[in-house]
Amino acid sequence: MVSVNGSSQNRVWVQEQSWLGVLVMSCFKEFMSKNCVPMEFEEYLLCMFQQTFCLLQKITKDNNAHTVKSRLEELDESYIKKFNDFLQLFVSVHLRRIKSYSQFPVVGFLTLLFKYTFHQPTHEG
């Protein structure tokens, strides 16, 4: 299975990483589906959404060599679906709670979400 140039090992590593990403997004999605969050847990939510903001920045970063759409096409479909579900739950359930924090850039987040939405590799995304 291991080739001379290591491409088979690389492929297996990427598949495992993709699988792990799907599992993590499944956990986040389950967590986000809960509307009731204890007050003491809101700081953790804020941190999680700040990281989501950073992830959206990385995904939607537009440079000449790599367009947003081609970057999304490289991601596993299952991961994109779970991430989309996570974003949908964040916006519909938790955005009103998080937008009151000055540390969370609401306008920047919505701008990235708009950009991300219109660069989906499929119409279902």
Side-chain angles (χ1 to χ4, degrees):
M1 180 173 199
V2 178
S3 66
V4 175
N5 63 7
S7 65
S8 294
Q9 283 180 332
N10 229 4
R11 201 171 328 123
V12 169
W13 184 79
V14 168
Q15 288 172 342
E16 287 177 3
Q17 191 177 26
S18 181
W19 173 76
L20 184 60
V22 170
L23 287 178
V24 168
M25 277 300 145
S26 295
C27 291
F28 283 163
K29 182 182 162 202
E30 182 66 29
F31 177 70
M32 288 294 99
S33 66
K34 311 300 184 225
N35 192 17
C36 297
V37 176
M39 269 309 247
E40 58 272 4
F41 200 68
E42 286 192 5
E43 191 172 317
Y44 178 73
L45 272 178
L46 176 62
C47 181
M48 195 162 91
F49 295 131
Q50 286 172 328
Q51 294 303 315
T52 301
F53 180 81
C54 291
L55 183 57
L56 274 174
Q57 282 179 315
K58 286 183 179 195
I59 290 172
T60 59
K61 183 180 178 186
D62 203 4
N63 59 28
N64 295 336
H66 217 69
T67 66
V68 176
K69 190 166 185 164
S70 68
R71 190 173 296 114
L72 284 169
E73 287 171 346
E74 290 175 1
L75 295 173
D76 185 275
E77 280 183 49
S78 300
Y79 179 83
I80 291 176
K81 181 176 180 351
K82 296 290 183 184
F83 187 61
N84 290 347
D85 293 344
F86 169 80
L87 288 172
Q88 188 270 327
L89 285 168
F90 169 59
V91 170
S92 64
V93 178
H94 299 284
L95 183 61
R96 70 180 182 279
R97 178 180 294 134
I98 297 298
K99 71 180 182 180
S100 63
Y101 287 91
S102 62
Q103 304 97 318
F104 187 74
V106 177
V107 174
F109 173 78
L110 293 175
T111 301
L112 291 173
L113 184 62
F114 179 83
K115 189 174 181 180
Y116 174 80
T117 300
F118 285 96
H119 285 92
Q120 292 294 300
T122 66
H123 295 290
E124 293 83 34

